[in-house]
Amino acid sequence: MSASTNATTPERDATMKAIVQRGYGAPEQVLAPDDIARPAPSDDEVLVRMRATSVNTPDWLAVTGVPYLLRLGFGLRRPATPVRGSDIAGTVEAVGKNVTGFRPGDEVFGSLWGNSAKSLAGTFAEFTVVPASQLIGKPAELSFAEAAASVMSGITALLAMRDVGRAGPGKRVLINGASGGVGTLAVQIAKTLGAQVTGVCSTRNVEFVQSLGADHIIDYTREDYTRGTQRYDVILDNVLNHPPAATAELLTPTGILIPNSIGSARGLFGSLPRIARAKMMGWGSTDVRTVTCLPGQDNLNDLAALLVSGDVKVIIERAYPLGEAAHAVAHMLGHHARGKIVITD
Ligand SMILES: NC(=O)c1ccc[n+]([C@@H]2O[C@H](COP(=O)([O-])OP(=O)(O)OC[C@H]3O[C@@H](n4cnc5c(N)ncnc54)[C@H](OP(=O)(O)O)[C@@H]3O)[C@@H](O)[C@H]2O)c1
């Protein structure tokens, strides 16, 4: 990575506070604050001072290293990158020499997700470098916490509902895991697109998911949604706690199943076999499509427009200071967060 030659280059050899992962295990056992080298932006990157970041499934997967199969990709004894986190909102500290759209002091938000440079530190740190192509100006209407919390969950929800599922007027959409990070945003986005939405959640979240705009609620503690008679044009399954074949029974003849969960942290494979089975069903008569979070500027701008309009709100259950990032990851690992878990500077 070549350091920026811009006049705003931060002092070399500076250190920063970051949450460093030393091995796989429970968040409180393997994540701890430490001083590490502050990253320098390469030519097309921006150095951002973190004001807020959020916890997503890839973070707790990389912390626990379970399902174990994922360690083949992350690293056998510990992840190759020691700092977790991909969503970011903050202020520009310095820019690479090819970056023209940002200046020091700008308030921005975006994501490191999908960036293949293994040396990059994640966002659970005072500073992080982000590709300029995955960053936009933060609207003044959004707090740093809201902006950071929206990125991975919001783009996934937006692409799932708008592009993959093509939710719209006259379409019935079922969202399993409607009260989580992706689900809360997917419910609201599907409603703004004009769809009829059914949300699946537990009893304590029934009124909450209704307040997000869901037309119908299925309380999974009382009713198994796969046994219902209603048929759906789109099913976004954020939990994968039922066999995909049973969920697919609920589709209309032209319906689309979007399996969207690595699932719980269990054993060698976790829910990977279930995802594989869902994908194999897609070779037959069932329309199975996956969604991938693509945090480029177009998608970030579309998401920001929805949030600024007020039609879609980011629900934050709790914010933790950076030094307590391990508790933030543990909170999400409990699988019952309502909306998003945020980490602030
Ligand atoms: N495709 C992509 O690029 C992409 C990106 C991000 C995330 N994802 C996937 O999206 C999935 C959801 O992520 P998330 O951030 O929304 O997770 P999350 O915030 O941890 O989800 C928590 C929610 O799950 C609900 N839940 C737990 N057990 C449930 C059950 N049996 N039935 C229905 N709901 C249940 C909880 O509701 P209750 O408390 O009411 O039980 C809670 O509100 C993850 O599996 C992740 O792998 C995919």
Side-chain angles (χ1 to χ4, degrees):
M1 196 181 342
S2 69
S4 163
T5 54
N6 189 289
T8 62
T9 301
E11 98 193 62
R12 284 174 189 278
D13 305 324
T15 61
M16 65 173 184
K17 193 72 74 195
I19 304 303
V20 177
Q21 181 174 347
R22 300 294 180 203
Y24 291 116
E28 284 93 345
Q29 285 168 359
V30 299
L31 296 178
D34 204 350
D35 289 322
I36 63 170
R38 187 192 291 191
S42 65
D43 294 348
D44 299 308
E45 290 174 336
V46 176
L47 178 69
V48 179
R49 178 186 289 269
M50 187 275 282
R51 297 292 310 278
T53 175
S54 88
V55 188
N56 290 290
T57 299
D59 302 318
W60 64 252
L61 285 171
V63 169
T64 60
V66 183
Y68 298 110
L69 191 68
L70 295 180
R71 296 185 190 193
L72 292 178
F74 291 145
L76 286 184
R77 297 184 59 188
R78 68 181 74 86
T81 49
V83 182
R84 309 270 63 79
S86 57
D87 291 346
I88 179 91
T91 52
V92 172
E93 189 76 7
V95 299
K97 71 175 165 57
N98 295 340
V99 175
T100 54
F102 301 101
R103 286 186 308 191
D106 286 354
E107 297 187 347
V108 293
F109 80 113
S111 171
L112 309 178
W113 184 247
N115 196 295
S116 59
K118 291 257 186 228
S119 59
L120 289 186
T123 58
F124 296 180
E126 283 180 288
F127 296 91
T128 194
V129 286
V130 186
S133 59
Q134 296 190 179
L135 212 52
I136 64 169
K138 181 185 77 64
E141 294 87 343
L142 301 180
S143 67
F144 286 107
E146 288 169 328
S150 74
V151 181
M152 178 175 277
S153 297
I155 288 178
T156 303
L158 176 64
L159 301 186
M161 291 295 100
R162 184 191 66 187
D163 301 350
V164 180
R166 296 195 295 271
K171 296 273 182 82
R172 284 183 190 275
V173 176
L174 181 129
I175 297 170
N176 191 24
S179 51
V182 175
T184 49
L185 288 151
V187 167
Q188 297 175 80
I189 291 169
K191 285 306 299 174
T192 64
L193 293 168
Q196 277 249 347
V197 176
T198 298
V200 183
C201 60
S202 66
T203 311
R204 80 177 183 110
N205 284 321
V206 167
E207 283 180 25
F208 167 64
V209 175
Q210 266 165 346
S211 77
L212 299 174
D215 303 282
H216 308 282
I217 306 287
I218 297 175
D219 175 350
Y220 70 77
T221 68
R222 293 161 192 239
E223 196 180 339
D224 173 350
Y225 76 81
T226 64
R227 294 177 185 272
T229 52
Q230 182 63 59
R231 295 295 174 258
Y232 300 93
D233 302 291
V234 185
I235 299 177
L236 174 63
D237 189 352
N238 294 313
V239 189
L240 268 180
N241 55 329
H242 294 282
T247 303
E249 287 288 317
L250 302 180
L251 291 171
T252 60
T254 56
I256 299 169
L257 174 62
I258 310 173
N260 185 45
S261 176
I262 303 287
S264 58
R266 275 195 318 257
L268 182 60
F269 299 115
S271 297
L272 298 175
R274 210 162 249 188
I275 295 171
R277 278 203 296 280
K279 286 193 174 178
M280 283 191 305
M281 278 168 29
W283 299 340
S285 56
T286 310
D287 195 349
V288 180
R289 304 186 197 187
T290 51
V291 60
T292 305
C293 175
L294 299 170
Q297 289 182 332
D298 288 349
N299 290 335
L300 284 166
N301 277 316
D302 290 349
L303 177 65
L306 281 170
L307 297 171
V308 167
S309 74
D311 292 338
V312 176
K313 291 185 171 50
V314 189
I315 309 295
I316 296 172
E317 181 171 56
R318 184 159 170 193
Y320 293 80
L322 179 61
E324 295 177 19
H327 298 312
V329 176
H331 187 153
M332 192 177 174
L333 191 48
H335 302 300
H336 292 287
R338 181 185 273 178
K340 293 291 301 177
I341 304 301
V342 162
I343 295 168
T344 56
D345 59 344

